[in-house]
């Protein structure tokens, strides 16, 4: 089992039981005119995560890792949208209103879809989620159980919102999370840095933090005899 350098200590990546989970790399968050910008954010802050994620996704596909994508969004009739979420932000536009990429954060609209650079291929489940966490009101629990997944390599946006919520949900379900600092991003650089520190603090209270280069190296390393692990 390859050991990935990480904080607070190395992560034993079991490629048979690990999945790559890419959170919400959607046009509505990354491109102008979508939900992210509607909330008043500078969406260009998220772009640096795209290239490292592209490289990681290619390596994960090559290594045969199980890969899942999530999308935050709602049904066209808004039946899965709480009023509390709909009115949040008090902006001129809200979820379900027309924007330059179609109705904002609505399943089936152009803005809701995953950016072309990281588009899923056949065999990679896309999990539509109405909340911030990927476990709430989704099939993720069943999907993970069916594939025998016990570890998640977690990437995507935003670090302190959907990535953090998902990592916390996974951690409480006994799933080990390795979060990659260059494959996650926030509209607020200071929140990104602090959110990652929070994951690895207190002996890895929510999980581990590493980077794409370290995981790619582990995925492409020749198989070695099993080594004993200290954790
Ligand atoms: N607003 C913000 O930072 N994020 C979200 O609303 N969703 C995700 O993080 N995907």
């Amino acid at each position: 089992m390859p050991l990935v350098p990480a904080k607070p200590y190395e992560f034993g990546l079991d490629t048979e039981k690990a999945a790559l989970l890419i959170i919400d790399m959607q046009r509505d968050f990354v491109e102008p005119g979508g939900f992210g910008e509607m909330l008043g954010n500078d969406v260009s802050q998220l772009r640096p995560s795209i290239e490292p994620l592209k490289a990681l996704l290619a390596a994960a596909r090559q290594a045969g890792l199980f890969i899942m994508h999530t999308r935050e969004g709602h049904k066209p009739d808004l039946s899965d949208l709480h009023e509390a979420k709909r009115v949040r932000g008090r902006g001129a536009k809200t979820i379900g209103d027309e924007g330059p990429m179609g109705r904002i954060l609505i399943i089936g609209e152009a803005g809701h879809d995953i950016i072309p650079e990281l588009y899923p291929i056949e065999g990679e489940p896309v999990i539509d989620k109405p909340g911030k966490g990927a476990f709430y009101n989704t099939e993720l629990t069943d999907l993970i159980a069916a594939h025998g997944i016990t570890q998640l390599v977690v990437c995507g946006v935003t670090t302190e919102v959907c990535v953090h919520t998902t990592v916390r949900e996974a951690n409480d379900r006994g799933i080990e999370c390795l979060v990659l600092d260059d494959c996650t991003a926030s509209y607020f650089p200071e929140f990104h840095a602090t959110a990652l520190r929070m994951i690895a603090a207190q002996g890895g209270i929510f999980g581990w933090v590493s980077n794409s280069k370290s995981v790619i190296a582990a995925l492409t390393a020749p198989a070695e005899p099993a080594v004993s692990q200290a954790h």
Side-chain angles (χ1 to χ4, degrees), residues 23-24 26 29 35-36 39 41 72 129 132 157-163 187-188:
I23 306 279
D24 299 0
Q26 297 159 256
F29 291 108
F35 183 63
L39 296 174
N41 298 305
E72 179 178 346
K129 62 185 188 57
K132 303 305 178 190
V157 295
T158 62
T159 319
E160 80 281 11
V161 182
C162 291
V163 171
Y187 302 117
F188 308 92

Side-chain angles (χ1 to χ4, degrees), residues 37-119:
E37 195 175 75
M38 187 196 89
L39 296 174
N41 298 305
D42 171 12
V43 296
S44 69
Q45 292 287 341
L46 305 187
R47 299 210 72 86
S49 63
I50 297 174
E51 282 306 312
L53 240 173
K54 257 177 82 173
L56 177 76
L57 184 56
R61 284 173 177 161
Q62 186 72 30
L65 209 65
F66 184 50
I67 298 166
M68 297 176 284
H69 306 255
T70 71
R71 302 185 300 194
E72 179 178 346
H74 299 275
K75 295 176 182 168
D77 66 2
L78 306 182
S79 58
D80 56 357
L81 175 63
H82 302 300
E83 182 65 6
K85 182 176 178 183
R86 197 185 68 79
V87 300
R88 195 74 51 83
R90 297 183 171 177
K93 290 197 175 221
T94 188
I95 297 169
D97 289 347
E98 279 296 336
M101 297 184 288
R103 291 179 71 201
I104 292 167
L105 226 58
I106 297 299
I107 295 166
E109 302 287 339
H112 170 267
D113 213 352
I114 292 170
I115 60 171
E117 296 94 324
L118 302 171
Y119 211 76

Side-chain angles (χ1 to χ4, degrees), residues 123-151:
E124 298 176 357
V126 177
I127 298 147
D128 282 320
K129 62 185 188 57
K132 303 305 178 190
F135 287 85
Y136 167 68
N137 250 347
T138 73
E139 66 276 28
L140 184 55
T141 301
D142 292 342
L143 203 50
I144 283 175
H147 286 82
I149 299 299
T150 61
Q151 299 183 337

